[in-house]
Amino acid sequence: MNSRRTFLTQSAFALASSAAGQTAPSGDWYGRPMRWAQLTLVEDDPGNYDPAFWLDYFKRTHSDAACLSAGGCVAYYPTKVPLHYRSKFLGSRDSFGELVAGCRKLGMNVVARTDPHAAHQDVYDAHPDWIAVEANGKPRRHWADPTLWVTCGLGPYNFQFMTAVTREIMSLYRVDGIFSNRWDGSGMCYCKHCQANFKAFAGLELPRTEDPRNEARRQYIVWRQARLFELWRLWDGEIKKINPNASFIANAGGGALSDLDMKTIGDLAPTLFADRQARRGLMPPWTNGKNGKEYGATLGAKAIAGIFSMGVEEQYRWKDSVQGAGEIRLWVADGIAHNLRPWFTKFNGKVIDRRWIKVVEDIYGWHHRNERYLRNERSLARVAIVYSQQTANFYGGERARAKVEDHALGFYQALVEARVPFDMVHDLLLDPDRLTPYRTLILPNIAALSDAQCRQLAQFVERGGNLIATYETSLYNEWGVRRNNFGLSSLFGAAFDGRVDARVQNSYLNVDKDPRTGQFHSLVRGLEDATRIVNGAAWVHAKPTTPLDSVPLTLVPSYPDLPMEQVFPRVPRTNTPGLYLRQHARGRVVYFPFDLDRTFWEVLAPDHGLLLRNAVAWAHNEEQPLVVEGRGILDVSLWMQKDSLAAHLVNLTNPMMMKGPVREILPSPPQQVRIRVPEGKRPRNVHFLVAAKPAPHRIANGVISVDVPPIGVHEVIAVDLA
Ligand SMILES: [Zn+2]
């Protein structure tokens, strides 16, 4: 098992270093574009839409890069690759070429879009083995358009046919890169190539379960990634043979639930595009900013664009729709606040509903006017949430959303409510260099950690870093196999006591004074009158390994919640700690042995939010570099540019915040802001970028204080530095 893991790591490293060797010299273009425009043509666009409208719109919006449909499922240029389907409406035109030429006249970078996930009948007839196969052995028709077939992402369709298409597009147009959508297959494929290739890799049949405890499933996760990174390297190499300053840029990446290793992606990709077009389901507007943080964790200072669409998304996929202006503005603003360069995408060149046009033009015009304050070099956040794809893959499996992501979402919401500026960190990048900017790390049920990762976290605390962890953090190794004890037991001051109650009903926590001081610990500040607060819904049995300085919360075990006559605690008081907090070496550590963060996401009980906020305040033990005080809910961030600072305040105060729709923009109440100036810098001007006026301020002890008038969607306090 470990040898194959090593294989993946090594091939990822080999891949990364070979790509680095081919990277264009320092004059490369990837960091230049600040605003992207994407036009995804539909088959009947050629001859039926107005390219001049789009080119004029790109100019009006100061878009400096474009992503344009070229080929794959449908070719929009006169291709000569056999079986590469040309749009029936293309005739003798070259729709892609016309747009490329127009964009170049505007000085824009151009990336060609391909989409290899679907093929026409003639492909099926000529190469039935290029088509994806279902678990029942049948070739897979396209779920949305049954005249098409779904292709296998891991076999010759991509490795041979799409490589030829990639080469042709590069030779004809020498574009700056190829962005491929849905290039990584469409779920499990049981074709003969996948069967044979997987057998050669793992010696096993393809898995028929998503349970990561199944050995074939584990190996499949490893093999699929290796195969896709091989494809990435192949296409990137072919592209660079024709234009060394161009790259393959996959539509890939995300947070814990994304399936390709973000660390490898961060090494490979010269820039990346976060494809989260709009909300769906229960999704607050900060989700877009979360994307920026997740990508930034492994991309570092490389440019990241945030793809947004104007449409109502959701599972029904109304791709031709237009959502309300307020919602578009809020979604994009939250991305900008977290370092995403805006990228609008429009499907269909024939504009039906025109209401989005002015909205995007306004956003882009503002962005262009203030570009120098948006070209971020680094975040000044001192707190970071760790995310772990390994935990999602090998511990969460098919239930990763509930078991892993919901913990992170709960902590994320608590930090937004507490107005703490924070980044995200990838669990494979816990080396001292990467962690230097941070004083406090948060591990929201990061259950699967290797011994080496645990050592890195211990070293972080020994250097003076602080740690907050919840639930089963470090109780499993990197393969999701349970340990006998927490990997971080010595940091937590807690040992695993052999049992996890995955569902706890009607249980509480006593809130106690410290018997030695007669005072409440600051971790339960605001709960002094509560006596007893609700517990989480899942509990890890643990016991202290060292005497605890203070135990402000103790367990009240579950008792009957019916019949009402029986609803009284059988054991009203225990010595079982509800949290472990301690000074360890030079750092502070807080461990909650229950799913506090996940329960907060599910229930949003204010007591749980308060505990999470207090834990960060106690562990961190230092004023944040950006402090925003006032009423309402604001998502905040603080960025440094070459000669300036920018503090972003995004106003999420809205009765429909958690699901994300916006009926009207409700201005936030006024806010009092403090910004700590980095050492060695001297502030000159301070101004509001949205209100577009100077910001009255005071400076004392290296801290700028600003009173911010009510904010509509977004305000940025920009500080020029001498
Ligand atoms: Zn296949």
Side-chain angles (χ1 to χ4, degrees), residues 379-624:
S379 158
L380 295 179
R382 300 275 286 146
V383 173
I385 295 184
V386 175
Y387 73 98
S388 171
Q389 292 172 284
Q390 152 185 302
T391 296
N393 274 331
F394 298 113
Y395 159 86
E398 68 275 42
R399 294 188 52 230
R401 191 168 293 279
K403 289 178 70 177
V404 182
E405 183 68 358
D406 282 355
H407 290 262
L409 294 172
F411 227 127
Y412 201 109
Q413 170 71 20
L415 292 184
V416 169
E417 289 187 33
R419 294 141 168 236
V420 172
F422 67 100
D423 293 341
M424 293 186 78
V425 162
H426 194 274
D427 69 332
L428 297 183
L429 295 170
L430 299 175
D431 48 287
D433 279 357
R434 289 275 183 166
L435 297 186
T436 297
Y438 305 113
R439 185 175 165 84
T440 300
L441 284 186
I442 293 166
L443 305 171
N445 195 28
I446 305 299
L449 289 169
S450 69
D451 291 346
Q453 288 171 303
C454 291
R455 271 196 303 278
Q456 288 180 313
L457 291 165
Q459 286 158 3
F460 172 72
V461 175
E462 276 152 27
R463 291 193 303 271
N466 309 302
L467 208 68
I468 302 167
T470 64
Y471 196 47
E472 292 191 283
T473 292
S474 81
L475 192 53
Y476 297 75
N477 73 10
E478 68 272 35
W479 289 99
V481 178
R482 196 157 101 181
R483 293 188 165 100
N484 294 324
N485 194 5
F486 303 108
L488 297 175
S489 172
S490 63
L491 292 189
F492 294 170
F496 180 51
D497 205 12
R499 203 152 56 88
V500 177
D501 295 335
R503 161 108 195 181
V504 178
Q505 188 99 354
N506 194 39
S507 167
Y508 297 81
L509 297 162
N510 282 324
V511 181
D512 297 324
K513 283 182 185 166
D514 187 328
R516 291 172 312 171
T517 62
Q519 305 290 316
F520 285 101
H521 194 281
S522 68
L523 239 122
V524 291
R525 184 173 294 150
L527 300 171
E528 294 87 348
D529 296 334
T531 307
R532 187 184 282 178
I533 62 171
V534 297
N535 195 354
W539 184 267
V540 176
H541 290 265
K543 57 189 176 198
T545 55
T546 56
L548 300 171
D549 293 343
S550 181
V551 186
L553 294 174
T554 49
L555 176 69
V556 180
S558 171
Y559 49 91
D561 58 273
L562 265 179
M564 290 314 295
E565 291 79 356
Q566 294 304 318
V567 184
F568 62 94
R570 303 304 192 267
V571 185
R573 179 156 291 279
T574 67
N575 293 325
T576 310
L579 83 167
Y580 295 76
L581 47 97
R582 60 197 293 256
Q583 184 86 35
H584 179 89
R586 293 161 54 208
R588 289 181 168 187
V589 180
V590 183
Y591 169 60
F592 292 99
F594 63 104
D595 62 342
L596 172 63
D597 38 15
R598 193 213 61 79
T599 306
F600 183 56
W601 183 242
E602 182 180 351
V603 181
L604 287 171
D607 292 351
H608 288 164
L610 203 56
L611 273 184
L612 292 166
R613 169 193 300 219
N614 288 346
V616 174
W618 179 78
H620 196 71
N621 195 26
E622 176 188 275
E623 182 163 283
Q624 298 294 344

Side-chain angles (χ1 to χ4, degrees), residues 166-217:
T166 298
R167 261 193 232 114
E168 183 182 64
I169 293 169
M170 287 306 301
S171 322
L172 291 174
Y173 304 98
R174 256 187 100 80
V175 283
D176 296 310
I178 293 200
F179 174 65
S180 203
N181 190 52
R182 292 184 183 265
W183 63 287
D184 53 350
S186 309
M188 284 293 297
C189 171
Y190 294 88
C191 78
K192 66 178 190 185
H193 301 289
C194 288
Q195 285 185 41
N197 289 333
F198 182 66
K199 191 148 208 173
F201 175 82
L204 296 167
E205 302 298 326
L206 286 164
R208 285 166 191 272
T209 169
E210 288 184 35
D211 184 346
R213 285 168 300 187
N214 176 286
E215 177 61 13
R217 176 65 191 169

Side-chain angles (χ1 to χ4, degrees), residues 60-314:
R60 284 197 335 255
T61 51
H62 308 277
S63 296
D64 40 20
C67 177
L68 304 168
S69 298
C73 180
V74 174
Y76 295 97
Y77 67 95
T79 177
K80 294 194 172 62
V81 175
L83 296 171
H84 192 201
Y85 176 93
R86 277 192 213 194
S87 157
K88 289 197 292 283
F89 300 80
L90 194 64
S92 57
R93 287 186 197 84
D94 178 357
S95 293
F96 173 66
E98 287 164 15
L99 285 170
V100 172
C103 288
R104 287 203 169 124
K105 249 186 230 160
L106 295 172
M108 299 170 76
N109 290 104
V110 178
V111 163
R113 177 187 186 274
T114 62
D115 190 329
H117 88 280
H120 290 76
Q121 185 64 38
D122 55 343
V123 173
Y124 176 92
D125 293 339
H127 297 279
D129 62 309
W130 288 4
I131 304 305
V133 172
E134 295 172 3
N136 62 14
K138 286 191 181 146
R140 190 169 171 205
R141 282 200 183 270
H142 198 281
W143 59 91
D145 181 347
T147 67
L148 300 176
W149 295 92
V150 176
T151 58
C152 167
L154 306 174
Y157 178 80
N158 265 350
F159 277 84
Q160 294 166 22
F161 171 76
M162 282 307 297
T163 303
V165 169
T166 298
R167 261 193 232 114
E168 183 182 64
I169 293 169
M170 287 306 301
S171 322
L172 291 174
Y173 304 98
R174 256 187 100 80
V175 283
D176 296 310
I178 293 200
F179 174 65
S180 203
N181 190 52
R182 292 184 183 265
W183 63 287
D184 53 350
S186 309
M188 284 293 297
C189 171
Y190 294 88
C191 78
K192 66 178 190 185
H193 301 289
C194 288
Q195 285 185 41
N197 289 333
F198 182 66
K199 191 148 208 173
F201 175 82
L204 296 167
E205 302 298 326
L206 286 164
R208 285 166 191 272
T209 169
E210 288 184 35
D211 184 346
R213 285 168 300 187
N214 176 286
E215 177 61 13
R217 176 65 191 169
R218 280 185 195 157
Q219 294 308 323
Y220 176 81
I221 291 169
V222 175
W223 169 73
R224 177 174 171 273
Q225 296 201 47
R227 192 84 181 134
L228 287 171
F229 283 127
E230 191 185 331
L231 182 61
W232 186 319
R233 175 175 50 181
L234 169 70
W235 286 347
D236 195 54
E238 292 300 314
I239 289 169
K240 284 183 165 60
K241 279 183 199 163
I242 298 163
N243 179 358
N245 290 317
S247 290
F248 172 62
I249 304 167
N251 189 348
L257 300 185
S258 67
D259 50 7
L260 272 187
D261 174 39
M262 281 297 285
K263 176 173 180 285
T264 308
I265 289 176
D267 291 337
L268 276 178
T271 179
L272 209 60
F273 314 133
D275 189 4
R276 174 94 65 167
Q277 298 177 15
R279 70 180 162 89
R280 78 187 270 174
L282 179 76
M283 195 177 266
W286 53 246
T287 308
N288 199 25
K290 177 166 174 280
N291 267 310
K293 298 184 196 205
E294 288 161 344
Y295 280 69
T298 70
L299 270 283
K302 293 173 188 173
I304 308 160
I307 303 178
F308 67 95
S309 73
M310 321 344 158
V312 181
E313 286 287 317
E314 301 286 358

